[in-house]
Amino acid sequence: MAFVGFSVAVPGTAAARCAGSTVVRSNLVIDQDGKKVEVAAEQPLSGTCNGNNVYQGTAVSQWPGWRPTVWISENPGDKWIPYRGSYTSPSFGYVHHDTDKNSSSRMILCIDKDGLVICGWGNKWGWSDEGVMYNGAFGTNHGY
């Protein structure tokens, strides 16, 4: 398949992973050949949405050989922190400690392979070349 690189999608927010004490599975869905295709998903571990400022989640790439990454930023303007899986295993677990102690953050899901990156949230997504920060949709996460 042929790809064209671009770096942004329409900005906005989508569903959260912890919505207070409620656990929500999140995903990244793209348009491929006229069909909606889930390419990545993320979910908090059981017991994570408890207000203790520690987020534990699992992420998965649905495309073999593409590495999943979850990016987290605690406040607008803060640096985005990547939690990366591997190219050889489709899923991975990670732990984020909330440094500002308010159990709230923004999150983006990505997958990458051979310098190409797909990032976004829900059905808002964009292609970018490696090293170009995605500036589109993100999810909000609170109560972890």
Side-chain angles (χ1 to χ4, degrees):
M1 77 181 90
F3 302 119
V4 176
F6 61 95
S7 62
V8 297
V10 178
T13 60
R17 280 165 298 294
C18 284
S21 61
T22 302
V23 172
V24 180
R25 180 183 183 273
S26 303
N27 64 8
L28 175 57
V29 177
I30 69 166
D31 298 307
Q32 184 181 34
D33 300 325
K35 297 179 184 173
K36 300 286 186 191
V37 177
E38 182 181 85
V39 296
E42 194 278 347
Q43 182 169 320
L45 296 180
S46 178
T48 294
C49 301
N50 61 8
N52 73 350
N53 297 304
V54 178
Y55 184 85
Q56 297 180 61
T58 58
V60 62
S61 167
Q62 307 293 9
W63 285 354
W66 287 70
R67 175 180 62 176
T69 302
V70 177
W71 290 83
I72 297 178
S73 175
E74 292 180 10
N75 291 299
D78 279 0
K79 181 177 178 180
W80 287 90
I81 302 165
Y83 294 92
R84 292 185 172 99
S86 75
Y87 295 106
T88 57
S89 177
S91 65
F92 75 103
Y94 66 99
V95 177
H96 173 76
H97 296 272
D98 190 9
T99 59
D100 61 7
K101 307 290 188 213
N102 68 357
S103 291
S104 181
S105 62
R106 300 176 303 156
M107 300 174 92
I108 296 171
L109 297 177
C110 297
I111 59 172
D112 73 278
K113 181 179 181 178
D114 299 331
L116 295 174
V117 183
I118 301 172
C119 289
W121 193 256
N123 62 2
K124 306 284 187 189
W125 62 279
W127 282 103
S128 68
D129 294 322
E130 192 170 358
V132 177
M133 184 59 193
Y134 169 82
N135 290 315
F138 55 85
T140 57
N141 188 17
H142 63 92
Y144 59 88

